[in-house]
Amino acid sequence: KPYRANKQAKSVEGIRARDLIQKALNVLKQKPLRLWGVSLLCQLLVALSALFGVLPIISIPISLVLNAGMAMVYLTGYRGQEVNSDALFAGFHRFFKVAGGMGWMALWVLIWGLIPIAGPVFAVIKMYSYRFVPYIVIQDPDISATEALRLSMKKTEGFKGRMFLADFIVSLCCAGVMLVLGGLSMIRYVGPVFMVISVIVGVFFALVVPLLTGLIGAAGYEEIFVKGGAGDQQEPKA
């Protein structure tokens, strides 16, 4: 067992940004419609909570818990389990704890972002430091918001850059494709054709990229937190 744990830890240390992207793509190819359907439901419920919640003190916690639930949907899909709306509402069983953890995370990202000049950079770094918080607060009923942030910071140490690079590569590829299509749409005669193509591709990216980045986040949690902690840290209790 110690040998297996050490071998697994070494494997996790060698995980690269492109590995996270590839693993996420493999899952997305298998369940695109189901993931998109639950994602659309999440967005609809968030919009309804903002519309009918009246007060931010009501609508914001609901949105935070739904977003944490969506993270669990991606994790469920990444693990090869059936994707449905059940995971989306997982956080409502411990609503106040999950909302508190997510709210505490958002507050600290905001605080770091308010630092003059370098604030946005610090905010991005902290976003990746706290990236495992949604999974932790939903799965561990005993952990506090502060402990969840500390645990996420510990487990993302040394991997924040790789997770950021994975998201950046996806964004860069999409931007590159749209830039090329935009340039081709300015060519005389064939421009209108490429303009239509660019609109179609833009819609496709708008539908697929959020799913891909969500799965990349789930891949990071599974490969770094769960498998990487096999030797010294158990997965949060379900």
Side-chain angles (χ1 to χ4, degrees), residues 166-213:
D167 290 339
F168 180 73
I169 288 173
V170 172
S171 300
L172 188 63
C173 288
C174 293
V177 170
M178 294 306 297
L179 187 62
V180 170
L181 289 174
L184 292 173
S185 66
M186 299 178 68
I187 300 175
R188 193 174 182 181
Y189 302 122
V190 297
V193 175
F194 284 104
M195 190 175 294
V196 172
I197 294 175
S198 66
V199 171
I200 295 173
V201 171
V203 172
F204 175 78
F205 283 162
L207 294 175
V208 172
V209 170
L211 305 183
L212 181 58
T213 54

Side-chain angles (χ1 to χ4, degrees), residues 21-212:
I21 296 172
Q22 187 59 55
K23 290 175 181 292
L25 281 172
N26 291 339
V27 177
L28 184 58
K29 291 175 185 176
Q30 298 170 10
K31 307 173 181 180
L33 293 180
R34 280 184 173 272
L35 286 169
W36 180 77
V38 179
S39 174
L40 184 63
L41 175 61
C42 179
Q43 294 175 38
L44 177 62
L45 291 175
V46 168
L48 289 175
S49 70
L51 182 63
F52 296 108
V54 184
L55 298 175
I57 197 172
I58 298 174
S59 60
I60 291 177
I62 293 174
S63 299
L64 292 172
V65 174
L66 285 170
N67 285 325
M70 194 63 216
M72 288 302 300
V73 171
Y74 290 126
L75 182 61
T76 299
Y78 184 80
R79 288 175 169 173
Q81 301 168 0
E82 184 178 356
V83 175
N84 52 48
S85 59
D86 292 349
L88 181 62
F89 301 105
F92 284 87
H93 297 298
R94 295 187 296 274
F95 182 86
F96 292 105
K97 275 212 165 189
V98 174
M102 295 292 289
W104 190 239
M105 174 186 69
L107 177 62
W108 274 106
V109 171
L110 176 62
I111 290 172
W112 281 100
L114 293 176
I115 296 175
I117 303 176
V121 175
F122 284 125
V124 171
I125 293 172
K126 289 301 176 181
M127 283 173 59
Y128 284 90
S129 292
Y130 305 149
R131 192 160 197 177
F132 298 157
V133 168
Y135 311 101
I136 296 171
V137 294
I138 284 188
Q139 294 184 96
D140 193 335
D142 301 320
I143 199 165
S144 68
T146 303
E147 291 171 336
L149 263 65
R150 288 175 180 168
L151 182 55
S152 180
M153 289 173 64
K154 176 185 175 183
K155 288 299 181 179
T156 55
E157 189 66 35
F159 295 99
K160 293 187 290 291
R162 302 179 208 186
M163 292 188 290
F164 169 79
L165 183 59
D167 290 339
F168 180 73
I169 288 173
V170 172
S171 300
L172 188 63
C173 288
C174 293
V177 170
M178 294 306 297
L179 187 62
V180 170
L181 289 174
L184 292 173
S185 66
M186 299 178 68
I187 300 175
R188 193 174 182 181
Y189 302 122
V190 297
V193 175
F194 284 104
M195 190 175 294
V196 172
I197 294 175
S198 66
V199 171
I200 295 173
V201 171
V203 172
F204 175 78
F205 283 162
L207 294 175
V208 172
V209 170
L211 305 183
L212 181 58

Side-chain angles (χ1 to χ4, degrees), residues 218-235:
Y221 174 79
E222 184 72 9
E223 302 300 327
I224 298 168
F225 186 100
V226 178
K227 295 181 180 179
D232 59 356
Q233 175 70 44
Q234 292 184 343
E235 182 182 1

